Amino acid sequence: MSENQMNGAEALIQSLEKIGIEIMFGLPGGSAIPLFDALYKVRRKMKFVLVRHEQGAAHEADGYARATGKPAAVLVTSGPGATNTVTGIMTAYMDSVPMVVVTGQSVRGMLGKDAFQEADVFNLTMPIVKHSYLVRSANDIPRIVKEAYHIATTGRPGPVLIDVPKDVGTEACTVGLEAEMNLPGYKPEPKGYGPETIRQIAEALAKSRRPVIIAGHGAVLSRAENELRQLAETLDAPVATTLLGKGVFPDSHRLSLQGLGMHGTAFANRAVVECDLMISVGARLDDRILGVPGEFCKNAVKIHIDIDAAEFGKLVKPDIRCRGDAKAVLQDLLPLLKRGDTADWLKRIEGFKKKWPMGYAKKGGLHPPQVIDALNKLTGGKAIMATDVGQHQMWAWQFYHCDKPWQFISSGGAGTMGFGLPAAIGAQFGRPGETVIAIVGDGGFQMTMNELATAAIHKLPVKIILMNNHYLGMVRQWQDMFYDERYSGVDLEGNPDFVDLAKAYGILGLNLKRAADIPKVLKKALEHPGPALVNVEVVHHEEVYPMVPPGKPLEETVLCHPRRKPGRPAGRKNSRPAKAGAKNA
Amino acid sequence: MNKDISAHNLSIYVANRPGALARIAQTFSRRGFNIESLVVSPGATGDFSRMTITAKGDEAGLEQIIMQCSKLVDVLACREHTDEEVVARELVLVKVAVDSGHRGEVLQIADHFHAKTVDLSEKSIVLEATGSSEKLDAMVDLLRKFKIIELVRTGKVIMARGERET
Ligand SMILES: Cc1ncc(C[n+]2csc(CCOP(=O)(O)OP(=O)(O)O)c2C)c(N)n1
Ligand SMILES: [Mg+2]
């Protein structure tokens, strides 16, 4: 190879830079050494972040994308390096997050021969990627990178994987970086609808007296927040957001119902039960928000706007389906709308809000919602919130109020424990000037806490708020409510001293044990210029409410649990949860 | 299981790329559809393949599968066709044991179905027949009263009639 000729690995790194990838998270290994060598030699602006576990790399790329709207790349080695990213790829896939994952692979001649660290990553990841490539020739690389980026970021976004055999990386790439895409079957179609569909929607909306708008991640991804607001204000219709839609409609808006579904507000769920029309803007209407699919909005007109036609009728059969980008659809729809006649409906909803306000216990120890509420006040609802998965996630969703999209980062579809800290790290890389808070549980945090190293090394000022209830709390809650308190495999005895752990990484560690100290300790963490971890010793037994029990319709939203003492020993008999259902309205 | 489970003809036009078949097969298996027959052949132009799939499952599941297949990056088109909309053909090779006096009878059946004798030995006869799957079923059923040693069918291929696209 002549001096200025590039090899496949160099073509890959340069193509990623050229296409606009700004940051890459990863960890090397034998098969990926040519790729890392290229990184060393030809990288210019693109940042590389060395992680401590490849799962962290994928979640960091994910958090970066969810905070900025821009995809990041992941670069790992073959075999175990690649399989360690699988959870992260699946998490991104379930939540439609763009990502380009590059995995090293054994040399071409060894494929299928159980070579050292050979894993068939192409086939292994097939059901959890939007698309994937096994590169067979270095000359294909510029085209493949361009296609991968295009596929990851257009239509319904998602992760794309590029598996690069080691000898493809070292082979000469003689075609230059300019490449034509060749994707005859790819049809993201931002406008897969006609004027007739828009007219039908407008007519249905004009007839409705009790409309409800549901906004999801699609509305965020298409940057439709302004159009969504106009839709709501023109129709005078209340808006409920999904977990991933949080912030796309301001939580503080008079028309906001906040979240809906399993742990949504009772007033949102009740509004959905009583509506005569439901219009979903970029929500896929999954089982966590439907209650019972067949019962969901049974007597209401259902309008479903989604960029992915495969979402129509998956669980809910829509009366009007409209395939398109949420922003484009709403822009076409808005001029046809008349002012909504919903005064009675809004009055009724005000009644729901008064009757079933969101609240939480304040006495008898520290309660996670209290801490979230304090964070909300201290940050003015402006922080970027990344959560892990469990009870703390639901409380963060319920009690942190966001008025902007791209602000609340949470693993919804996959519910991946271990997501919170790396996602926060990725978000902080993407938005360096802003406050990024990771709300994590003691269980999930311990799955990826090795990424404390990444936060420390890069001096990322992420604030880790660890809700330490010494339990896999969400599972314990289910065992409490539905399995007669048979606590099986949920006691996190032997938790480390998290403050000492933070200190070991050179991170500020603080304990928070008394309600009276909440503002003081949180302020100290927030004002600290570097990363900080607050170990919050919360009550061990507390349930997330409202809750729609699994397999129950939204009518049966359970409001609260009878009050009882925290720290109650496991196994004691206890009365069943009170079904103060919104049903009895 | 469900009563409304019936066989469906699907035709998929797909870019000829590694993994395309696996992605399509996964789409079916994940949703509990059993593929009865699958024929992959080159399309009219080089870089594309035509897949003809016969699969059993319920209507709602089928709609999901068509949408999920259509969404695959390599898939240009995925359509369902009723039997009336298409010409459908299948080819069968069947090896029948004909030890003593049965040969004449077997040949009579072959003749009735316009099957050809493509191999003949002292103890066996291999017939080749083309036609609709139902016609082949009928022939094979009649041959069952003799000893069928081996049976190979290509699976159904279909083409839309007239101006319609397959
Ligand atoms: C990787 C993974 N394993 C298991 C689960 C199942 N799960 C959901 S929530 C939960 C408990 C989480 O405990 P913790 O992180 O302490 O949060 P808490 O619910 O106590 O706030 C578990 C085990 C999961 N979601 N992800
Ligand atoms: Mg916990």
Side-chain angles (χ1 to χ4, degrees), chain A residues 84-100:
Chain A
N84 272 351
T85 65
V86 166
T87 302
I89 296 173
M90 175 264 200
T91 303
Y93 179 74
M94 291 295 279
D95 288 349
S96 314
V97 177
M99 181 183 296
V100 177

Side-chain angles (χ1 to χ4, degrees), chain A residues 388-392 415-417 441-445 447 469 471-475 492:
Chain A
D388 213 87
V389 167
Q391 292 186 307
H392 61 279
T416 302
M417 284 171 72
D442 47 333
F445 176 67
M447 291 189 178
N469 55 10
Y471 271 116
L472 295 169
M474 185 57 93
V475 179
L492 292 175

